[in-house]
Amino acid sequence: MTENNTEYNNFRIAVPAKFEEVYTHVYFAENKTGESMNKTLLPSYQTILIFSFGATPWLLSKENSRIPVDKYLVIGPVKQAFEYTLPPGAEILTVNFKHDAFYRFFRHASIPEHVPMNPAAQLEEDCFSILWHQLSKISDVNGKVNHILTFCEPYLAYRNKIAGQLASFGERSLDRIKSIAQENKQTERNTQLNHKKHFGYSAKEHNRFTRFLEAVNLIQTLASGNAKVDWFEIVAECGYYDQSQLIKDFKHYINLSPTNYLKFQQDICNPIT
């Protein structure tokens, strides 16, 4: 979702081609209104690094406790929707890691969900604190993004061969795990473990999420064209057994029924589209 006005601004920033294997995009939002802005972020199965400037925003955990974003934190892979609040004067810049990129930087693929992690502890001591202070002196958003990319590049490790094959596998009619296992003369179990190790989630988890995301994007497309949503069409197009399975996935990922998602989608940010 993208909104642009004189008081609340948020937009996506594409990364240069050389970084497209590592990041999907960078997201910027600022609240210049006199009221707090409450948003819901859809799951993305990506790990995100959030930099905060100005007033302190916060996330709402599964246990309904507030997690402040003090300068920076890492969260993910984001497997379920969560709420966040931007108070007046808040400004955030969010880096979205792609596929196995988080593992390539930090040597592990996941952290406790909805729990902040200090990324500096995984690299050189206090390096991200230094980066935050450098970013805080750059007023231009694109300048901040370029500085982040330049800063992070030396820490990026070479990609594991199997992880690269898993990330780039595009033949939807074939079983990704089985195909890559055969290609590398490995067991399917070993390939599954490689997937979990480098991505932070199983291939089965991601297949379910991809189906849900297709449903979300189809609903958004129909809604944007003012077309009436035919739920049976959604079920058929996205490969669900029936409408109850569709509802179950929406409840699982965003704790809303498909009908309520359609009603409130303007307040929900989709990090993928």
Side-chain angles (χ1 to χ4, degrees):
M1 180 182 70
T2 302
E3 301 172 15
N4 287 289
N5 54 52
T6 58
E7 296 182 320
Y8 176 76
N9 299 302
N10 72 113
F11 50 85
R12 295 161 59 102
I13 303 168
V15 298
K18 66 180 292 188
F19 292 102
E20 288 179 349
E21 185 182 271
V22 184
Y23 310 107
T24 58
H25 65 284
V26 177
Y27 173 78
F28 172 80
E30 62 178 352
N31 181 13
K32 294 183 178 180
T33 73
E35 299 180 354
S36 292
M37 306 296 293
N38 299 311
K39 299 291 181 179
T40 299
L41 182 73
L42 283 181
S44 62
Y45 273 67
Q46 298 171 344
T47 297
I48 58 178
L49 168 59
I50 306 171
F51 289 98
S52 170
F53 309 95
T56 302
W58 64 85
L59 315 179
L60 192 64
S61 73
K62 289 181 179 179
E63 295 74 27
N64 291 323
S65 60
R66 298 203 314 183
I67 302 172
V69 185
D70 182 18
K71 295 183 180 178
Y72 55 85
L73 65 79
V74 174
I75 184 172
V78 182
K79 298 181 180 180
Q80 291 181 307
F82 66 84
E83 297 178 6
Y84 67 95
T85 298
L86 295 181
E91 177 185 315
I92 61 171
L93 196 62
T94 301
V95 182
N96 294 261
F97 294 93
K98 188 175 183 179
H99 299 313
D100 59 321
F102 190 76
Y103 182 91
R104 293 172 65 184
F105 279 112
F106 300 104
R107 315 318 309 160
H108 58 89
S110 62
I111 60 175
E113 292 184 54
H114 298 190
V115 176
M117 184 193 81
N118 182 345
Q122 308 300 312
L123 299 176
E124 295 177 359
E125 184 179 358
D126 211 30
C127 71
F128 272 81
S129 179
I130 294 172
L131 175 58
W132 180 88
H133 283 289
Q134 292 172 345
L135 294 173
S136 68
K137 298 176 183 178
I138 302 174
S139 58
D140 176 65
V141 175
N142 288 315
K144 280 185 167 72
V145 173
N146 291 332
H147 191 78
I148 291 171
L149 298 178
T150 300
F151 181 91
C152 293
E153 188 173 10
Y155 297 102
L156 183 64
Y158 287 107
R159 184 179 232 174
N160 174 270
K161 174 186 175 183
I162 302 297
Q165 291 173 341
L166 288 166
S168 62
F169 192 82
E171 183 52 68
R172 297 186 60 182
S173 63
L174 299 177
D175 185 302
R176 176 168 52 167
I177 296 296
K178 184 176 182 179
S179 297
I180 291 177
Q182 291 175 344
E183 181 179 345
N184 292 278
K185 296 181 174 56
Q186 293 187 345
T187 65
E188 291 183 32
R189 174 61 176 166
N190 190 57
T191 305
Q192 289 170 344
L193 290 174
N194 267 292
H195 194 293
K196 184 73 173 181
K197 174 183 177 180
H198 290 273
F199 292 79
Y201 47 81
S202 69
K204 183 177 180 180
E205 284 182 272
H206 192 255
N207 289 340
R208 180 185 179 186
F209 170 69
T210 299
R211 181 181 62 187
F212 162 76
L213 191 61
E214 288 177 355
V216 166
N217 291 335
L218 183 54
I219 290 170
Q220 288 180 336
T221 299
L222 293 172
S224 65
N226 296 319
K228 183 178 180 180
V229 176
D230 184 336
W231 297 112
F232 292 105
E233 178 186 352
I234 302 294
V235 167
E237 287 287 332
C238 300
Y240 284 96
Y241 293 122
D242 52 31
Q243 194 168 349
S244 64
Q245 190 183 31
L246 173 70
I247 293 171
K248 184 178 180 180
D249 269 10
F250 269 75
K251 289 283 189 178
H252 172 75
Y253 288 115
I254 60 177
N255 200 30
L256 289 173
S257 69
T259 302
N260 282 337
Y261 168 74
L262 183 62
K263 182 178 179 181
F264 298 114
Q265 64 170 313
Q266 290 186 343
D267 292 324
I268 298 176
C269 295
N270 186 343
I272 303 298
T273 58

